[in-house]
Amino acid sequence: MAGTWAGVRERVLALRKAPRWRAVFGADFQGHGHNFELLPVLTEEQLRAVERRLGTELPEEYRTFLLEVGAGGTGPDYGLFPMKPVGPGARPATGRCALPFRPELTAQLDEHECAEPQRADHPDDGAFAAVYAPWEARHEELYDALTEGTLCISSQGCAYYSLLVVTGPQRGTMWDDVRAVGEGVVPVERGGKTRHVSFAEWYLDWLDDAECRAWDKTVDPPSRPQFISDQ
């Protein structure tokens, strides 16, 4: 195998023997870490079936990752969500991936939230409800539309997620879903870069850092955390 992902699967799996692998965030977390494991790769036929279900072809760097490295498992934060082959009982896709990604919606949502109706500005509850209901409906519409045209591929914890854009001009770039703290969907930043970060850059930058941490022999390996039950 040559190209972007040459040797990457082997590098990831080798980290299971590194002396400080537990120092890598997300690798070992209360039995739910990724443990530097990778799922088997997909076949081209399996991947095509996934894409038909999603209604769009996946960006090239992510496609080749699924074909050459693994269909999920070890990766930034708590690892990559599995991309399971489409089985006979698979639920129909929502179609959201095939819709255009519109990054400008984050600013629109922020503007909309600033215009939230206030009870004090209305003479009675009925008048307030009459203007608040359409405002709330539009808020929900904008909030949900922020992730159209993206694929959620990883959890950062605390209801933060990593998104891969699969449609539109930003196709192939990584974005952070930080709606949990009211910041919408924003571009991933790596090393002070001002341009958008691609999936391969996002993953390989993380792998380089993970190797530095896991193979660092200048400090003692961290002990496995012990969780004491209250019972």
Side-chain angles (χ1 to χ4, degrees):
M1 177 174 59
T4 300
W5 304 114
V8 169
R9 183 177 177 91
E10 292 75 15
R11 287 171 61 188
V12 171
L13 298 180
L15 287 170
R16 292 180 293 185
K17 298 181 181 180
R20 301 191 74 249
W21 67 271
R22 289 193 178 96
V24 178
F25 178 82
D28 180 40
F29 181 71
Q30 301 183 36
H32 300 290
H34 54 69
N35 297 306
F36 293 108
E37 297 176 353
L38 288 167
L39 294 177
V41 300
L42 296 181
T43 66
E44 183 66 36
E45 181 180 355
Q46 289 173 329
L47 182 51
R48 289 294 184 187
V50 167
E51 292 175 326
R52 286 194 296 270
R53 178 174 176 272
L54 294 175
T56 186
E57 184 174 301
L58 296 171
E60 184 63 18
E61 289 179 349
Y62 185 56
R63 287 192 93 256
T64 51
F65 182 92
L66 297 173
L67 293 169
E68 300 175 13
V69 182
T74 296
D77 303 309
Y78 291 103
L80 301 180
F81 292 139
M83 179 61 76
K84 298 179 180 179
V86 178
R91 293 182 298 176
T94 64
R96 291 174 58 84
C97 283
L99 297 173
F101 174 60
R102 295 173 288 170
E104 69 274 11
L105 292 184
T106 288
Q108 291 183 27
L109 179 60
D110 185 57
E111 182 179 353
H112 183 72
E113 289 177 338
C114 290
E116 180 178 359
Q118 302 299 312
R119 173 64 181 85
D121 296 332
H122 298 83
D124 53 52
D125 289 346
F128 175 65
V131 297
Y132 194 84
W135 178 91
E136 185 175 38
R138 177 58 175 163
H139 184 274
E140 292 179 359
E141 178 185 350
L142 286 170
Y143 185 90
D144 291 340
L146 289 180
T147 56
E148 291 174 349
T150 71
L151 189 65
C152 184
I153 63 173
S154 178
S155 170
Q156 303 174 24
C158 300
Y160 295 7
Y161 295 94
S162 297
L163 308 177
L164 171 65
V165 177
V166 296
T167 62
Q170 304 299 337
R171 172 181 163 84
T173 61
M174 296 298 303
W175 292 62
D176 289 328
D177 179 354
V178 286
R179 291 177 295 173
V181 290
E183 296 182 7
V185 173
V186 299
V188 165
E189 295 183 1
R190 280 290 186 275
K193 294 175 181 175
T194 56
R195 59 185 177 81
H196 293 298
V197 175
S198 73
F199 173 77
E201 289 175 314
W202 176 75
Y203 193 91
L204 294 174
D205 282 354
W206 166 83
L207 181 55
D208 288 342
D209 181 71
E211 288 175 325
C212 288
R213 294 177 184 274
W215 291 106
D216 184 0
K217 296 181 180 180
T218 63
V219 294
D220 293 332
S223 59
R224 187 182 182 90
Q226 300 295 318
F227 298 95
I228 302 174
S229 172
D230 293 333
Q231 302 296 324

